[in-house]
Amino acid sequence: MDYTKITETPSNHDHLEQMDTATILHKMNQEDQKVADAVAEVIPQITSLVDSLAQRFESGGRLFYIGAGTSGRLGILDASEIPPTFGMPHERVVGLIAGGDTAIRKAVENAEDDRVQAWKDLQMHHINTNDVVVGIAASGTTPYVLGGMADARANGLLTAGITNNPGSPLAKAVDIPIEVNVGPEFLTGSTRMKSGTSQKLVLNMISTALMIRIGRVKGNKMVNMQLSNDKLVDRGTRYVMEGLGIGYEEAEELLKKYGSVKKALEAAR
């Protein structure tokens, strides 16, 4: 190992069990405040990834996230929010986790140690060179992720990796390494904390910026969101009201007739 595994270094805080609740929470919050600054340092790498994704998406490409444990769950979470938020088909952004869907709720023993399964999982989606694969691993050493990235790259796909250990094997295995150094965890080695928070921030940035770049946002509004409940219908109605300068009932009628804010605005104009 020729790098420092920051995710395993001792916490800056000790004797946690002797602290009262308020002290524990304040110190956790102090550590959490470091996360956004660490993410800011990797914006150039995120920019490169989003620009490459936007180009491929325009040609029908897709985005795949692969990970294990917390990292895998965060990828699935981000992917699952794209259809309702931006009205994209669910197969355009896909999250895969070591151990399959069972592992979303319950850990699957040894699943993350399988170096060949990730590529098998990707092949189930008929993956091709128009697609992009993003591996997520706080440690940067997860075999499931490393194997998947090696196979994806060998087959001509663009690859990126989100890790919290700069210089890790994952960072070296991908075209675009996104290395977010958040420092030691408050609870030593518990990467669901600062590391997981940083991954969530980076994933938010990747997918949201991508959707903006490919035209799924108008102004600052989610004009392609799915109208899947009363709250979203009300939100969409207000967007149409604002965009056209009309009353609520007329806006709601247009929205329901055309099925999305974007289509309602285009039809009325």
Side-chain angles (χ1 to χ4, degrees), residues 47-58:
T47 299
S48 178
L49 174 58
V50 171
D51 286 343
S52 297
L53 273 166
Q55 183 179 10
R56 285 165 171 77
F57 255 65
E58 296 291 358

Side-chain angles (χ1 to χ4, degrees), residues 39 42-55 57 62-66 71 74-75 78-79 81-82 86 88 92-94 132-137 149 158-163 176-180 197-217:
V39 171
V42 297
I43 287 178
Q45 290 76 32
I46 301 172
T47 299
S48 178
L49 174 58
V50 171
D51 286 343
S52 297
L53 273 166
Q55 183 179 10
F57 255 65
R62 298 167 293 173
L63 167 59
F64 288 86
Y65 297 129
I66 63 172
S71 297
L74 288 170
D78 193 73
E81 292 173 340
I82 300 307
F86 300 106
M88 292 291 287
R92 296 300 298 277
V93 181
V94 179
V132 178
V133 183
V134 177
I136 314 166
M149 304 316 291
L158 179 68
T159 60
I162 303 171
T163 178
I176 304 173
I178 300 172
E179 304 165 278
V180 191
T197 300
S198 74
Q199 292 171 5
K200 179 68 166 69
L201 292 177
V202 171
L203 293 169
N204 283 348
M205 294 169 83
I206 292 169
S207 58
T208 304
L210 171 62
M211 291 299 118
I212 293 170
R213 286 291 315 279
I214 64 173
R216 307 302 292 182
V217 170

Side-chain angles (χ1 to χ4, degrees), residues 73 98-100 102-103 106-112:
R73 295 182 190 103
T102 300
K106 185 178 180 181
V108 176
E109 189 173 357
N110 297 326
E112 71 173 55

Side-chain angles (χ1 to χ4, degrees), residues 2-269:
D2 58 355
Y3 71 100
T4 301
K5 206 167 186 180
I6 295 168
T7 54
E8 296 297 330
T9 54
S11 171
N12 294 320
H13 312 271
D14 204 353
H15 307 298
L16 306 185
E17 75 282 3
Q18 297 176 19
M19 298 177 185
D20 60 33
T21 302
T23 301
I24 291 170
L25 299 179
H26 279 298
K27 290 186 178 296
M28 286 177 64
N29 181 251
Q30 289 171 11
E31 290 296 329
D32 288 342
Q33 290 177 39
K34 302 174 183 178
V35 176
D37 288 340
V39 171
E41 295 293 324
V42 297
I43 287 178
Q45 290 76 32
I46 301 172
T47 299
S48 178
L49 174 58
V50 171
D51 286 343
S52 297
L53 273 166
Q55 183 179 10
R56 285 165 171 77
F57 255 65
E58 296 291 358
S59 301
R62 298 167 293 173
L63 167 59
F64 288 86
Y65 297 129
I66 63 172
T70 297
S71 297
R73 295 182 190 103
L74 288 170
I76 289 171
L77 173 63
D78 193 73
S80 70
E81 292 173 340
I82 300 307
T85 307
F86 300 106
M88 292 291 287
H90 71 274
E91 65 268 14
R92 296 300 298 277
V93 181
V94 179
L96 301 174
I97 186 170
D101 286 354
T102 300
I104 297 172
R105 292 182 178 272
K106 185 178 180 181
V108 176
E109 189 173 357
N110 297 326
E112 71 173 55
D113 297 326
D114 190 334
R115 290 188 64 92
V116 301
Q117 187 61 45
W119 184 243
K120 293 178 181 177
D121 293 342
L122 288 165
Q123 286 181 305
M124 292 290 290
H125 295 269
H126 306 289
I127 196 160
N128 61 75
T129 54
N130 227 6
D131 301 325
V132 178
V133 183
V134 177
I136 314 166
S139 67
T141 61
T142 307
Y144 175 85
V145 176
L146 291 178
M149 304 316 291
D151 288 331
R153 202 173 187 186
N155 282 275
L157 280 81
L158 179 68
T159 60
I162 303 171
T163 178
N164 299 100
N165 280 328
S168 68
L170 177 58
K172 295 177 179 178
V174 299
D175 300 301
I176 304 173
I178 300 172
E179 304 165 278
V180 191
N181 183 359
V182 296
E185 296 289 358
F186 173 75
L187 179 63
T188 300
S190 183
T191 53
R192 71 185 184 86
M193 301 183 78
K194 288 195 297 181
S195 297
T197 300
S198 74
Q199 292 171 5
K200 179 68 166 69
L201 292 177
V202 171
L203 293 169
N204 283 348
M205 294 169 83
I206 292 169
S207 58
T208 304
L210 171 62
M211 291 299 118
I212 293 170
R213 286 291 315 279
I214 64 173
R216 307 302 292 182
V217 170
K218 179 69 173 177
N220 56 16
K221 303 294 194 299
M222 298 179 289
V223 295
N224 286 285
M225 63 185 175
Q226 292 179 349
L227 306 174
S228 55
N229 57 47
D230 290 342
K231 177 189 73 176
L232 296 178
V233 171
D234 176 67
R235 180 186 294 165
T237 299
R238 287 184 284 106
Y239 288 172
V240 175
M241 288 176 62
E242 180 181 327
L244 298 177
I246 60 178
Y248 190 95
E249 290 184 2
E250 185 180 358
E252 185 178 29
E253 184 178 339
L254 281 171
L255 180 67
K256 290 181 176 180
K257 178 178 180 180
Y258 292 103
S260 76
V261 174
K262 184 176 183 179
K263 290 179 180 177
L265 292 176
E266 290 175 347
R269 286 169 177 164

